[in-house]
Amino acid sequence: EAGVTQFPSHSVIEKGQTVTLRCDPISGHDNLYWYRRVMGKEIKFLLHFVKESKQDESGMPNNRFLAERTGGTYSTLKVQPAELEDSGVYFCASSQETGVGTIYFGEGSWLTVV
Amino acid sequence: QKEVEQDPGPLSVPEGAIVSLNCTYSNSAFQYFMWYRQYSRKGPELLMYTYSSGNKEDGRFTAQVDKSSKYISLFIRDSQPSDSATYLCAMSPYNNNDMRFGAGTRLTVKP
């Protein structure tokens, strides 16, 4: 069974440009999460989808970040325009249940804004 | 003050040593306590999961939670070079949305 897949694995963009990160969850997992770790900080929650609906987006830092989950399958996270402080690693995770401890993380998308 | 404190290390031990990794926290609402292992350029992988206080053992790994002291530990017995990774503690009061991570401790086990 395939795990959580993220694309691209690495991205280097200039300040002001747009980047779109994609996440394919484990098949059958209704719950999809985005987390990120910026330089020198801990991993932090961004948002949670249940199927195609945003269940909780309290962790989204500002309106430059837009997440979508079309048809309840894959998800995209767009950063527009990107700022230097957005550099870090963006993790996607998925789970069948909402209970703690049952989530599976992808390998992350490493974003560098220069 | 951070909600979860974890010494980032690095920690280097010889093969076969007992490793002790620790986190402290300030939020008494945390009920779920996790340890994740993260290899370089990979995503976090759940190692141990404990609800409330107590001990949990899985092979060479033992997780301990002391809610009265707001202190959690992960012990690795007979450490192996393949255990070399970053170990992240995480905890939550309710669900994955409220999960708070520690900074991670980088462990190297030398042959």
Side-chain angles (χ1 to χ4, degrees):
Chain A
E1 179 181 298
V4 177
T5 307
Q6 293 188 243
F7 181 83
S9 57
H10 296 82
S11 184
V12 181
I13 63 171
E14 293 184 350
K15 176 182 174 181
Q17 288 186 323
T18 298
V19 64
T20 300
L21 311 177
R22 172 171 169 145
C23 170
D24 286 80
I26 293 173
S27 178
H29 284 193
D30 288 339
N31 297 279
L32 187 149
Y33 307 83
W34 284 98
Y35 295 83
R36 76 169 181 175
R37 182 170 192 167
V38 296
M39 188 66 70
K41 301 288 187 180
E42 297 76 26
I43 297 174
K44 289 192 176 180
F45 167 80
L46 294 178
L47 86 159
H48 170 210
F49 284 98
V50 177
K51 296 185 180 179
E52 68 276 8
S53 299
K54 291 178 185 175
Q55 185 76 10
D56 182 350
E57 53 183 331
S58 61
M60 295 287 262
N62 51 62
N63 59 11
R64 296 186 294 103
F65 290 77
L66 175 64
E68 296 180 325
R69 190 179 183 192
T70 307
T73 55
Y74 70 91
S75 174
T76 57
L77 179 64
K78 180 188 289 187
V79 185
Q80 179 183 29
E83 298 289 346
L84 298 178
E85 63 265 25
D86 300 331
S87 295
V89 58
Y90 291 76
F91 291 108
C92 177
S94 72
S95 70
Q96 278 187 316
E97 305 164 358
T98 56
V100 174
T102 59
I103 64 174
Y104 299 87
F105 283 84
E107 295 191 349
S109 288
W110 298 76
L111 173 64
T112 303
V113 182
V114 297
Chain B
Q1 182 189 8
K2 294 180 181 178
E3 278 190 289
V4 180
E5 297 277 1
Q6 182 177 13
D7 186 340
L11 179 63
S12 181
V13 301
E15 182 176 355
I18 297 175
V19 177
S20 173
L21 304 167
N22 312 291
C23 289
T24 59
Y25 63 95
S26 58
N27 188 345
S28 57
F30 290 144
Q31 299 186 82
Y32 301 90
F33 303 90
M34 284 73 65
W35 285 96
Y36 286 87
R37 177 175 61 196
Q38 185 179 15
Y39 291 114
S40 181
R41 296 292 182 174
K42 299 292 185 181
E45 170 195 14
L46 181 65
L47 261 183
M48 302 284 287
Y49 159 63
T50 308
Y51 173 72
S52 194
S53 284
N55 295 356
K56 188 172 186 177
E57 186 173 321
D58 184 0
R60 296 184 295 110
F61 298 90
T62 300
Q64 290 185 349
V65 175
D66 182 349
K67 291 187 72 176
S68 62
S69 302
K70 296 188 176 65
Y71 187 87
I72 71 170
S73 301
L74 177 71
F75 297 96
I76 307 174
R77 291 183 298 280
D78 187 24
S79 56
Q80 303 294 311
S82 58
D83 295 327
S84 298
T86 296
Y87 290 80
L88 299 148
C89 64
M91 44 200 83
S92 173
Y94 305 114
N95 55 39
N96 296 318
N97 302 12
D98 299 306
M99 197 154 50
R100 300 288 186 266
F101 285 84
T105 300
R106 182 177 295 179
L107 170 68
T108 300
V109 181
K110 296 187 175 181

